[in-house]
Amino acid sequence: MAEQFDVVVIGAGPAGYHAAIRAAQLGMKVACIDAALGKDGKPALGGTCLRVGCIPSKALLDSSRQYWNLQHLFGEHGISVKDARIDVGAMIARKDKIVKQFTGGIAMLFKANKITPYYGFGQLQPGNVVKVKQHDGSEAELKAANVILAAGSDSIELPFAKFDGENIVDNVGALDFAAVPKRLGVIGAGVIGLELGSVWKRLGAEVTILEALPDFLAAADAEVAKTALKEFKKQGLEIRLGAKVSNAEVKAKGKNKEVHVTYADAEGEKTLVVDKLLVAVGRRAATRGLLAEGTGVKLDQRGMIEVDEHCHTGVDGVWAIGDCVRGPMLAHKGFEEGIAVAELIAGLPGHVNFETIPWVIYTEPEIAWVGKTEQQLKAEGVPYKAGSFPFAAIGRAVAMGEPAGFVKVLAHAETDRVLGMHLVGVGVSELVHEGVLTMEFKGSADDLARICHAHPTLSEAIHDAAMAVDKRAIHKAN
Ligand code: FAD
Ligand code: NAD
């Protein structure tokens, strides 16, 4: 006999656990199934984000940043430390502790919200039935009026550079190196390549990133990308653009192994020899085995679940959210979809505004944006005004020794409504939310310019950039 629920969620990542908790808050009887195991071999809720994504990468970014600052920034403050060393084991153990705290936190939240967890692999059957192959070998059958598919994503593997967990790795391996690799190669100068490349660079690895496209960070505002590239190069990150990789071969070198990577760029064919190779060329929906025959749920050519703007699959009572559906693969996008779907099921007006989803890349300097880039506005023929302001003229940033970068505000030329905000610099992962709020409230550049910002703070760069839209920034020539 199938156990009956109001809502069954497959996947307890950011999208799935938000949906489960919100549905439970709204009075529904909820089950949530997740197949993942933690490093200790025990079930771990929270998905890619908590286990091998957002949280562990930020833990390592923070550890490595402290080490880098100690060597490169502390001196100018008059602080000197002799014989600074990095204990990679201790750094990884700290990261693992944080991961455990947060994955365990989801289990506690499930308990507090009376959500029934199932640990194993879930498959949707026709008629809103879900079969679960549990880790203890048993099978469970669940039935629900509504099933939410939140299966997330996996790393894309290149056919000529298969992951071996040792020398050729994805994010999972690169978050767990036992020692700093002398030479780290990265395929893909995207978000993961830049964040994890930065971690190991700061700890002393020689890092070379091979990117197929001729442009760096093509999705970001072109000026932001240019400034970031300049800063990354200053830090010693070697980024080779227009590099088409064709092969990666692990070869023995004495007692060790190294990876020979063949690629071609404008100058012809080249070989890069590294100790570890991180492949970070994007992620794909983890929908393999998720759907039994005859469910009626459709996948597109890339394996993503097809949904409408409300995350409905078109099959009665079946929804899909997060990385396994269209839209940016971001944890907070999944959060919002999870909440919206739970609310729609409860008859409330759930909604996600895709126009105001912020992007953040947690490098040094950080990169963040919301809304349209100048390239997009030009291509769409939207008349706009731009105002920008450098952190080098912001007292707080200079006092912190972090003068790199700027804030740019884009506003409609006629209505002054803010259409985008683009930031590169210290702390911009937090600052970007001024742009999100302004856009959500349909505010103008003039609104931002007339809002009092405390002095001295980094957020003054937003204030001055908004004033610069009308050429009235106080702290620079307009
Ligand atoms: P997932 O987090 O992938 O969770 C899906 C869960 O479902 C998994 O636990 C999986 O085991 C389970 N599952 C799948 N199929 C089944 C099944 N059939 N039965 C049972 N269980 C199943 N995003 C940000 O916004 N900010 C960041 O800083 C950031 N950093 C990242 C860093 C790295 C290294 C990586 C890899 C990703 C990062 N992301 C970041 C992206 C973010 O992790 C994802 O967008 C987010 O985790 C997607 O959430 P989700 O719930 O859709 O899927
Ligand atoms: P990505 O899409 O950000 O970058 C992949 C890069 O690899 C692209 O620049 C692409 O042109 C390049 N590429 C693709 N094939 C290639 C090849 N054969 N040779 C050389 N270069 C190649 O993907 P990612 O870095 O793997 O990250 C996956 C997703 O995870 C991101 O899109 C993002 O949604 C999410 N993520 C977000 C954050 C964050 O929000 N801070 C952090 C990490 C990951």
Side-chain angles (χ1 to χ4, degrees):
M1 255 287 275
E3 180 143 10
Q4 188 73 41
F5 291 91
D6 298 317
V7 175
V8 168
V9 185
I10 304 183
Y17 83 73
H18 272 70
I21 292 173
R22 187 71 189 113
Q25 284 174 347
L26 291 166
M28 292 176 248
K29 185 183 174 197
V30 181
C32 186
I33 306 158
D34 199 288
L37 301 174
K39 266 177 88 175
D40 57 5
K42 296 188 181 142
L45 303 173
T48 304
C49 170
L50 295 194
R51 286 182 296 105
V52 288
C54 321
I55 299 304
S57 61
K58 269 74 233 176
L60 296 191
L61 277 159
D62 208 56
S63 296
S64 59
R65 184 159 184 250
Q66 309 276 11
Y67 186 63
W68 176 271
N69 285 350
L70 193 149
Q71 292 173 319
H72 296 88
L73 198 62
F74 281 21
E76 71 179 53
H77 290 272
I79 303 167
S80 56
V81 182
K82 266 195 190 154
D83 298 331
R85 271 175 299 140
I86 179 78
D87 177 344
V88 173
M91 179 186 76
I92 298 288
R94 171 185 179 273
K95 178 262 296 177
D96 290 342
K97 194 171 157 206
I98 293 167
V99 167
K100 215 164 167 43
Q101 178 187 336
F102 279 84
T103 54
I106 304 296
M108 286 192 322
L109 285 172
F110 276 11
K111 203 166 174 191
N113 285 285
K114 301 189 172 48
I115 295 164
T116 310
Y118 284 84
Y119 299 109
F121 193 84
Q123 188 183 57
L124 179 69
Q125 314 290 318
N128 292 7
V129 170
V130 177
K131 280 196 177 157
V132 190
K133 277 199 180 131
Q134 303 190 93
H135 294 314
D136 64 8
S138 65
E139 267 211 16
E141 198 171 279
L142 321 179
K143 186 154 174 46
N146 286 281
V147 177
I148 304 174
L149 306 171
S153 63
D154 291 321
S155 308
I156 293 178
E157 192 169 50
L158 293 173
F160 51 79
K162 298 257 180 207
F163 302 126
D164 63 13
E166 196 194 333
N167 292 89
I168 303 182
V169 299
D170 66 355
N171 56 298
V172 179
L175 286 165
D176 255 338
F177 290 146
V180 179
K182 190 166 171 316
R183 299 161 300 178
L184 172 67
V186 181
I187 307 184
V191 201
I192 294 180
L194 291 172
E195 289 188 357
L196 295 183
S198 294
V199 165
W200 296 105
K201 172 70 214 164
R202 292 168 188 172
L203 299 177
E206 273 169 38
V207 179
T208 307
I209 306 183
L210 303 175
E211 165 60 46
L213 294 179
D215 293 324
F216 179 65
L217 278 183
D221 180 87
E223 265 185 275
V224 165
K226 195 171 155 201
T227 300
L229 183 61
K230 199 172 92 195
E231 293 299 321
F232 297 154
K233 284 190 170 164
K234 269 199 232 162
Q235 291 160 19
L237 269 181
E238 171 74 24
I239 300 171
R240 299 185 190 162
L241 301 173
K244 308 259 182 311
V245 184
S246 55
N247 197 31
E249 204 179 332
V250 179
K251 295 187 179 175
K253 173 139 193 262
K255 282 189 209 149
N256 300 320
K257 286 178 187 164
E258 54 185 25
V259 193
H260 291 235
V261 186
T262 313
Y263 69 96
D265 63 13
E267 294 162 4
E269 193 167 282
K270 294 178 181 167
T271 303
L272 172 74
V273 181
V274 292
D275 302 295
K276 304 272 183 194
L277 179 67
L278 162 62
V279 181
V281 295
R283 296 178 64 80
R284 71 167 143 238
T287 46
R288 205 171 302 152
L290 178 69
L291 308 168
E293 276 296 307
T295 60
V297 175
K298 290 198 190 83
L299 301 181
D300 68 15
Q301 302 120 305
R302 292 178 302 157
M304 284 200 164
I305 300 170
E306 288 189 3
V307 287
D308 64 14
E309 71 272 30
H310 303 297
C311 297
H312 196 261
T313 63
V315 175
D316 210 17
V318 184
W319 312 75
I321 55 177
D323 278 12
C324 64
V325 301
R326 52 51 201 136
M329 289 186 168
L330 296 173
H332 43 282
K333 176 259 195 184
F335 292 171
E336 298 304 321
E337 286 181 336
I339 290 172
V341 165
E343 293 184 347
L344 287 168
I345 290 172
L348 298 171
H351 175 67
V352 180
N353 184 359
F354 277 83
E355 303 296 315
T356 55
I357 295 176
W359 271 89
V360 177
I361 306 178
Y362 297 82
T363 43
E364 174 74 20
E366 291 182 339
I367 298 166
W369 71 87
V370 57
K372 305 271 184 178
T373 61
E374 283 201 63
Q375 303 95 281
Q376 285 171 323
L377 293 175
K378 278 184 192 143
E380 291 167 18
V382 178
Y384 71 93
K385 303 175 282 183
S388 60
F389 197 83
F391 282 110
I394 292 292
R396 186 72 189 280
V398 174
M400 290 165 77
E402 305 267 12
F406 63 89
V407 174
K408 187 198 279 186
V409 174
L410 302 177
H412 195 282
E414 287 138 26
T415 65
D416 197 39
R417 188 164 159 185
V418 173
L419 303 173
M421 189 184 283
H422 303 271
L423 311 92
V424 53
V426 62
V428 301
S429 54
E430 302 294 341
L431 297 186
V432 68
H433 296 97
E434 277 205 38
V436 177
L437 273 172
T438 308
M439 287 180 64
E440 273 292 339
F441 290 131
K442 300 184 173 40
S444 63
D446 190 51
D447 289 331
L448 262 177
R450 289 182 188 282
I451 290 170
C452 181
H453 286 67
H455 175 75
T457 59
L458 299 172
S459 66
E460 286 177 283
I462 295 176
H463 190 234
D464 261 306
M467 292 176 87
V469 168
D470 271 340
K471 305 201 182 321
R472 56 187 161 105
I474 301 293
H475 297 97
K476 72 166 196 177
N478 288 287

